[in-house]
Amino acid sequence: MPFTNDRIVLISGTAHPELSQAISAELSVPLANAHVGRFPDGEIDIKVYDDIRGADVFVLQPTSPPVNENWVELLLLLDCLRRASAGRITAVMPYYGYARKDRKDEGRVPISAKVVANTISGSGADRIVTVDMHAAQIQGFYDIPVDHLYAKPVLMRAVRALAVDNPVVVTPDVGGIKMARSWAKALGADLAIVDKRRISGSEIAVEHVIGEVGGRNVIIVDDMISTGGSISEAAHIVRREGARQIVLAVSHAVFCGPAVERLDGCPADRILATDTIPRRGRSPRNLELVSIAPLLARAIHNIHRCESVSSLFDDTP
Ligand code: R5P
């Protein structure tokens, strides 16, 4: 059933105000007048001043670090909008926190991504928009529509502008093969795989590279850089095996713990990432951010107009 209310409302949480402003500018829709603050004890204080009754409301809030803080803020925003009689509520989560905990891979652990889904649905979201969720099957944790966007066209434009000669696309682990294959196909490039073993949340070991990288220019693609272990070790091993230029292209620059030091110490010539997560503190020396705002704005526009979202992608993986 198409949603027919003509009024589009954008509400920003506090996770990433710069991205919210950029989306608002792309759409020429001002951010709604709202207060999202903290009470003296740290509890979240929300008040929406605009009348949003019946409107098509989009809440802009990546659940990036501090994940728990941004997640609860999103839940309270959703609850607020539902109680204020919004016509339809879409949670726009450019980065989806807890997506790496999508299954019970050992005894006595939670499936955190399911808890996130339960609470977001339960707090009033009618629809989700997200970008490169670590595990696409999380969509099935929801009984509402999930528009899963890909950062690849945005990053691909930046990579093409570098005119890298005869590149090899490398994935830092076997889990990234699908993404790397779609990059290789789009660039007409070869594919190589780093054989990675995770030792702990921040430590990994790489054994060898499957595929030829010696004397070649390399583009290492991944959905995220968290502590930087996977991608920096991948960069080190391809350089040891004789790679020439090394470009990293990632959707989400989480950059926690030792990430910046690891990236500064790795042989990557360029690091391309989107701005799904706000940059706070020091960035790696060769980081180039590309904006995801135009893609999110197009998706919001199409959702509001009941038009296709998948049409935004040339070759959806
Ligand atoms: C792994 O499956 C992901 O695609 C990333 O490679 C990983 O989560 C990045 O984490 P870190 O930067 O801490 O190695």
Side-chain angles (χ1 to χ4, degrees), residues 100 134 171-173 175-176 196 198 200-204 221-232 256 259 262:
R100 288 188 290 178
H134 178 70
T171 171
D173 58 39
K196 162 185 128 178
R198 186 168 281 288
S200 71
S202 64
E203 297 298 322
I204 58 120
V221 298
D222 207 349
D223 62 330
M224 70 171 85
I225 296 177
S226 183
T227 66
S230 308
I231 212 153
S232 63
C256 58
R262 283 174 169 175

Side-chain angles (χ1 to χ4, degrees), residues 225 248 253 255 258-266 268 270-273 279-289:
I225 296 177
L248 315 183
F255 293 173
V260 173
E261 289 71 28
R262 283 174 169 175
L263 293 167
D264 278 346
C266 90
R270 289 168 185 270
I271 305 170
L272 304 174
R279 291 296 322 124
R280 305 281 183 251
R282 195 166 77 78
S283 290
R285 61 188 156 74
N286 44 12
L287 176 69
E288 294 165 38
L289 287 180

Side-chain angles (χ1 to χ4, degrees), residues 155-213:
L155 290 167
M156 181 69 78
R157 256 194 305 280
V159 166
R160 283 194 202 281
L162 300 176
V164 179
D165 182 40
N166 191 21
V168 182
V169 175
V170 173
T171 171
D173 58 39
V174 288
I177 288 178
K178 194 174 169 197
M179 176 185 251
R181 193 184 291 126
S182 83
W183 271 81
K185 188 170 165 224
L187 291 170
D190 292 334
L191 179 65
I193 302 158
V194 173
D195 183 15
K196 162 185 128 178
R197 199 161 39 85
R198 186 168 281 288
I199 298 165
S200 71
S202 64
E203 297 298 322
I204 58 120
V206 296
E207 311 291 343
H208 58 283
V209 182
I210 304 164
E212 197 49 60
V213 294

